[in-house]
Amino acid sequence: MDEVKVVVAHSERATLRVGDVFLKVDADQARIDVEVAAMDLAPVPTPEVLWRKPPVLAIAALPGTALGRLGEPSTASPAAWATAGAVIRKLHDAPLPPWPGRGGRGLDALAADLDRECEWLVTNGVLPADLVTRNRQVAEAALRPWTPMFTHGDLQITHVFVDGDEVTGIIDWSEAGQGDALFDLATLTLGHEERLGDVVAGYGTDVDLDLDVIRAWWSLRSLLGVRWLVEHGFDPFAPGCEVDVLRARM
């Protein structure tokens, strides 16, 4: 009999694995709606939806392994990272979905979120003021007009699966929608800055990729994420994770 393995669990959602089936339980059905719709529209490999009975979504496991993990060296080849860049470019070039995504928040709302989180980090002594101030300055470059693209919205390294040098699929589409393409590229390379060149090589140099904006998104995403991670039982202070990403900007 297959064992039930808890992949991730917190107060908002949980993902379980039973054999070759993943069961996603989400209190917010809007996120599941987005996930199913985005996988249907995305012109890139995605998991097969097996069935859906709210609040549960069942999807098939993908072949291969994750491109890597935050805080650990990636054993994937440069070619695999470049292929991931090419697949992301295909997604970004696709027709826009009719809804905004996580990477598409308005600039005023994003700036307000950033200011609030920076204040919380300093006021509660979670991070040193100089570290927060420096990264807030770096993050400013991401707060600029952008052309909406079809973005994944949560393109963490663990969400891209590869077999050898080929991408077998991308999972977890609940934050997908119209957004800033550089947000996706920054999320994928967060904590793996040395792989940015491989991703860009695969993505293509025929478009204007502002690397300073990608670095700004590293700071912005990390500043916005520390409180959520702490409050949901994750450790942003682990080696190679969000706090180390912020320290690298000093």
Side-chain angles (χ1 to χ4, degrees), residues 13-209:
R13 67 187 87 167
T15 300
L16 311 175
R17 180 168 187 168
V18 185
D20 289 331
V21 177
F22 284 90
L23 302 175
K24 304 189 71 172
V25 185
D26 199 317
D28 185 349
Q29 284 307 293
R31 280 195 294 252
I32 295 295
D33 291 342
V34 166
E35 180 151 12
V36 173
M39 288 193 292
D40 185 55
L41 292 174
V44 300
T46 61
E48 177 188 1
V49 175
L50 300 176
W51 52 266
R52 180 185 180 191
K53 186 175 181 180
V56 181
L57 172 67
I59 60 176
L62 290 170
T65 58
L67 192 59
R69 294 188 179 280
L70 186 62
E72 301 176 9
S74 171
T75 59
S77 68
W81 281 87
T83 301
V87 170
I88 297 166
R89 174 64 182 277
K90 187 175 182 181
L91 174 67
H92 291 170
D93 285 344
L96 289 174
W99 65 85
R102 181 182 184 187
R105 280 176 288 176
L107 297 183
D108 291 342
L110 190 59
D113 289 346
L114 182 58
D115 288 339
R116 182 180 62 252
E117 293 305 308
C118 288
E119 181 180 1
W120 183 87
L121 291 169
V122 174
T123 300
N124 291 277
V126 177
L127 293 176
D130 60 341
L131 181 64
V132 173
T133 298
R134 170 57 182 157
N135 278 275
R136 176 64 179 83
Q137 292 169 345
V138 173
E140 190 70 27
L143 302 176
R144 88 285 178 226
W146 40 268
T147 301
M149 299 287 186
F150 189 160
T151 55
H152 180 278
D154 192 21
L155 199 62
Q156 300 178 47
I157 189 175
T158 53
H159 292 168
V160 179
F161 278 69
V162 296
D163 186 0
D165 296 339
E166 297 301 317
V167 172
T168 59
I170 300 175
I171 65 172
D172 285 3
W173 291 80
S174 61
E175 308 287 350
Q178 298 181 25
D180 180 0
L182 299 190
F183 177 72
D184 270 355
L185 296 178
T187 302
L188 180 68
T189 55
L190 184 78
H192 290 83
E193 302 176 20
E194 75 283 356
R195 300 291 195 163
L196 180 58
D198 297 325
V199 172
V200 169
Y203 191 88
T205 56
D206 57 318
V207 292
D208 182 19
L209 293 180

